[in-house]
Structure formats: structure tokens, C-alpha cells
Amino acid sequence: MNVRNENGRRNPGKDPFAAWTECLKEEQAAVLCTLLAFSPSPGLPSGVRLFIPENGEPLGDLGDEALNRLAVEWARKKLDTLHPQSETCIFSLPGGRQAEVFVDVNLPPSELMIFGAGHDAIPLVKLAVQSGFKTTVVDPRPAYATEDRFPGARIILADAGLWEERVIIGKRTYVVVMNHHLERDRVAIRLALNSPAPYVGVLGPRSRCQRMLEALEKEGVTFGEEKLARMYNPVGLDIGAETPEEVAISILSEILAFRKGCSGGFLRGRDSIHQPVRK
Amino acid sequence: MKENREIALAMEEGRRAGRKMALATVVRVKGSAYRREGAKLLIDEEGKMTGVISGGCLEPDVAEVAKQVMADGHPVMKRYDLDEDLVWGLGLGCPGTVDVLIEPVSWNETTSEADVSRSSDGKGVEERGFAGKEASS
């Protein structure tokens, strides 16, 4: 149905393509569906679109109510996955009709939040910023958590007491805990595992991580299996990394692989480069 | 994913300057290709390009099609079968089929600020007040 104002013109500001463009500019999560073909009608439809923001109501029309509904459902489902890809889908409709729709996904930049501003965080932040991550460093030590040491990153100079109001972890925030300090690591792990973060990397050997979890348990803080499944320790891919630069490559590679559901092994001999082998 | 933002900014700039534009989007890939679905290339009437949809072998032809799209305002779906039709590149293509949708960039109203979060009528999915189809003029 058309939303028209009194003089019969379409509502200004009700244009799905303009809304989509705004989302691209503001780096917000959204899906734009564009109708490519609608059997049995021949030809390429012109500018028939439906815009579905992650936060907000759909806008536009694919020319069929059932198709609109299917597309909105599909888009919402996609936006719930970690790293959805754009694709052309065929939707089957009542009465044997089929619609071919290009589903374009726009995502906000992934965020990387690093707890610990030590010397080994420097190359990790550098790589992450270069790779397009919105990067944040959290550390209570003013001599370490400086913008000079971490160009391009946001610095949160705060200890755990202030985190609640200053540290915001969302469902697209990847966390790495690397304080080299048991106490600070422990509170960071507690915060991260209780947040929506999909990935919580913890630097150091398993025995150390285990000890921190046991200490938390003594404080009465336990995590279910689901929460613990998001913890990656020892952190990084198995590339034999030793120096801080190598460790940074190992950690960021793991995050990239995790984000797309890739296994992180060698591509050699693989038939398809872009099809992730699901873990 | 900074690319989408760059495309949006270039579109905005083109609109402000009143230039005609066409947007090319990779909508389907079969087999190998340098870029995947969702890759975009914006071309304006002066031939200025923003974005990348291939390793360089598709852009020149897409730019030609874009001229026609800007002139008549009709979208075109172009299939590139890089096994056989690679006549302009330097033999750089990968073996695969890439479908590129090339559309005129147009808004149906002069709205520079789209309200993306406004609820249309606050009802459920079934009753949603979808705005009318966007005419490509």
C-alpha cells in the first residue's frame, strides 16, 4: 500500500534507497533488498526495493505483501548472524510464483576491544586499525594507555570501577584480554564473558586462564558452557608466533577467521577460496 | 567495509553537484571472481569512478553500460562470463560468471536526510505501511 500525503505525492523521506545510503554513510547495520526478477512477469524491474534497518521499521515495497514479509524475515535472520554476506536469493511465493531478490548487507565496522596497554598491544592495535576495526584500548595506567602509543585507537583510561559506565561491549565487539596481570585479567574476563561479545581471546597458557576462572569461581562467579564457549585460550592461530608482531598477526588472523566462520588453515589445494569450511 | 561508506559519500557529493550517476553492484558470482556479491562501483556522467568490482577487467565495460543507463534511466543486468567474453582485459580474469546490476542513481524526492528509524505506522508486519514503489526517473 502506498503512503501518500494529501496532495497525492509520496511522503518525502520515505525513500528506501535514500534511507539505505544514509545507513552506509553512518555505518549502521541494514539490509537493502532489490527485486531482480518476478516470475511470471518478464523483464528487469526498475528500482523496486525494500530497506530493512537493524534498528527500526522496514521501508519500501517489493510489490507483493508475502514477498515483503519473507524478505524482512530473511534480512532479520541474516543480521543476527555474525558476518552476513550479500547474496541473490530466490523466494518462493504462494501460487508457484518466484521472486529473485538481491539482498545487500551493510554492517558497521567490527570493533576490537583490548584490555591491556602493554608493549605487545601496540602491534595488535596497529594491525587492527589498518584492517578497519574500530579499536579500543582499556588500561588504568596513564603511562601506558596513551594516544601516542596507540594511534587510531580510542583509549579508555579506567580501572574496573569505572568500566560499567565507560566500556560498552556489543554483539560485534571482539575482545582480547592481555594485561599481563592476573587481577586485571580476571576482572576483564568477567566483564567480557558476561557481555554480548562473540569472541573473548585471553593471552597466556591454559593453566593461567584456568587459575583465573577458579579464582572467579571462589568469588561466586561462574559461567555456563555457552558463555565459556566464546573464550579463546590460548589465543591466536598456530603459526609459531614469538615476537609481539607475530603474536599480533596470530591473534588478528584468528579473529578474522572466526568472524567469517573459517577454519584458519592453509588454502592450498582448496577448490574454493571464499566458501568457509564451517568449524 | 569502509567501501560502502565511500560509495555513499561519493553519491552524496554527486547529488549535491547535480551530476547523473549509475551504480554497479555485483549481485551474483558463480565460480571464481576477484570480488564477491555486494561489491560496488559508482560512475558519474564525467566518467569518475568510486569503488572496485573486479581486478580491473570489468570496469571499462561497466562504465560503457553505465553511460547508457544514465542516458535512458533504465537499469541493466549484465552477465560477464570470464571464460569467453574477456576481450578487453589483459587476460587477468578468473574463470567464473559475474552478474552486475547497473542502475541509475535516483531518489524520488529531494530528501537529503532520510529518516531511517521512523516507524511507519507502529503496527505489526502484516499491517506495515510500506511506502510506494520508487520510480526510477
Side-chain angles (χ1 to χ4, degrees), chain A residues 1-3 9-28 34-36 44-51 53 55-63 65 68-69 72 76 83 85-88 90 100 102 104-109 129-133 271 274-275, chain B residues 1-9 11-12 15-16 23 25-29 31-40 73-77 101-137:
Chain A
M1 66 183 141
N2 284 347
V3 177
R9 286 172 52 203
R10 279 189 205 89
N11 244 334
K14 284 263 168 207
D15 177 345
F17 190 70
W20 165 250
T21 307
E22 192 67 17
C23 259
L24 300 190
K25 199 176 84 181
E26 301 298 329
E27 299 185 309
Q28 291 164 342
T34 304
L35 187 64
L36 300 181
L44 178 65
S46 187
V48 179
R49 305 185 206 269
L50 177 60
F51 165 77
N55 304 308
E57 292 296 317
L59 181 63
D61 188 0
L62 295 173
E65 274 306 319
N68 286 337
R69 261 200 303 280
V72 169
R76 295 263 181 249
H83 204 69
Q85 307 288 297
S86 304
E87 61 177 344
T88 292
I90 311 269
E100 196 177 63
F102 176 57
D104 202 357
V105 184
N106 187 63
L107 293 177
V129 168
Q130 279 173 347
S131 308
F133 283 80
D271 283 336
H274 295 283
Q275 293 301 320
Chain B
M1 284 306 292
K2 286 191 169 70
E3 291 177 306
N4 275 349
R5 181 163 194 267
E6 279 156 21
I7 295 275
L9 292 173
M11 264 195 263
E12 212 171 48
R15 277 181 73 224
R16 265 202 300 269
L23 178 65
T25 308
V26 174
V27 297
R28 197 180 354 234
V29 174
S32 306
Y34 184 75
R35 297 295 313 267
R36 307 307 295 179
E37 291 88 344
K40 296 176 186 68
H74 295 304
V76 170
M77 178 75 77
L101 176 64
I102 305 157
E103 312 168 88
V105 175
S106 63
W107 281 261
N108 57 11
E109 292 281 347
T110 49
T111 52
S112 54
E113 294 282 316
D115 183 353
V116 297
S117 59
R118 187 192 318 174
S119 156
S120 45
D121 58 7
K123 295 179 192 168
V125 175
E126 285 75 16
E127 292 287 322
R128 202 163 273 137
F130 289 100
K133 282 185 203 174
E134 177 196 351
S136 192
S137 50

Side-chain angles (χ1 to χ4, degrees), chain A residues 76-93:
Chain A
R76 295 263 181 249
K77 213 161 43 187
K78 271 181 103 67
L79 285 172
D80 274 343
T81 62
L82 197 56
H83 204 69
Q85 307 288 297
S86 304
E87 61 177 344
T88 292
C89 306
I90 311 269
F91 291 102
S92 294
L93 296 162

